[in-house]
Amino acid sequence: MAHLNLFVVLVASLVCFTLAEEKYTTKFDNFDVDKVLNNNRILTSYIKCLLDEGNCTNEGRELRKVLPDALKTDCSKCTEVQKDRSEKVIKFLIKNRSTDFDRLTAKYDPSGEYKKKIEKFDSEKAAAAKH
């Protein structure tokens, strides 16, 4: 579960590629996440872009720019739609592309700082769900 929220940022970024003053833009809230997840070529392209291993589309470049901020702010600028889609992408990556997920985590959270915050959040979320 800790991996799930750690990468909330990835999906939030896929859904919202540019920053607004208070929240990330909702311009991409209708972004077809399933289309990306179900197309290995497109998903691989986004992953390579984020890892600086391949070319980026304009959206990929913006995603790469937003991701560190989203981690730093605990996705506080994400909308609920973006958070929900982020969770979906994270679950998918953990289940189907765990090596890529680990590589992304190593790049964007090498110290484990954000992972600790996410683990705390997961624990609190699990405790709240029990009540």
Side-chain angles (χ1 to χ4, degrees):
M1 189 72 167
H3 285 89
L4 178 65
N5 288 327
L6 177 60
F7 228 74
V8 165
V9 174
L10 174 61
V11 178
S13 297
L14 285 172
V15 177
C16 61
F17 297 109
T18 59
L19 289 171
E21 185 69 25
E22 296 270 330
K23 294 280 185 186
Y24 299 119
T25 182
T26 59
K27 180 178 179 181
F28 298 103
D29 278 7
N30 293 321
F31 184 81
D32 191 349
V33 172
D34 292 316
K35 183 177 180 179
V36 173
L37 296 178
N38 293 313
N39 186 316
N40 192 51
R41 182 185 59 78
I42 295 172
L43 181 57
T44 297
S45 177
Y46 275 103
I47 291 169
K48 284 183 175 183
C49 170
L50 290 171
L51 292 171
D52 298 316
E53 296 176 353
N55 295 328
C56 295
T57 61
N58 289 335
E59 294 86 359
R61 278 188 290 278
E62 191 64 31
L63 169 59
R64 196 170 53 194
K65 183 175 86 176
V66 171
L67 188 53
D69 181 72
L71 280 171
K72 182 180 177 182
T73 64
D74 297 323
C75 212
S76 65
K77 298 176 186 176
C78 298
T79 66
E80 288 305 312
V81 169
Q82 294 160 358
K83 289 177 184 179
D84 291 343
R85 292 202 177 142
S86 296
E87 186 172 333
K88 181 176 190 169
V89 170
I90 292 163
K91 286 180 181 180
F92 181 90
L93 290 174
I94 291 169
K95 181 178 179 184
N96 300 296
R97 305 280 296 256
S98 61
T99 301
D100 290 324
F101 179 81
D102 291 342
R103 291 173 66 217
L104 288 163
T105 301
K107 177 176 175 69
Y108 289 96
D109 188 23
S111 68
E113 173 186 354
Y114 305 116
K115 183 177 180 180
K116 290 174 189 171
K117 290 179 184 179
I118 290 166
E119 288 172 346
K120 181 180 177 188
F121 174 78
D122 284 342
S123 296
E124 292 169 357
K125 187 175 177 181
K130 289 181 182 179
H131 297 309

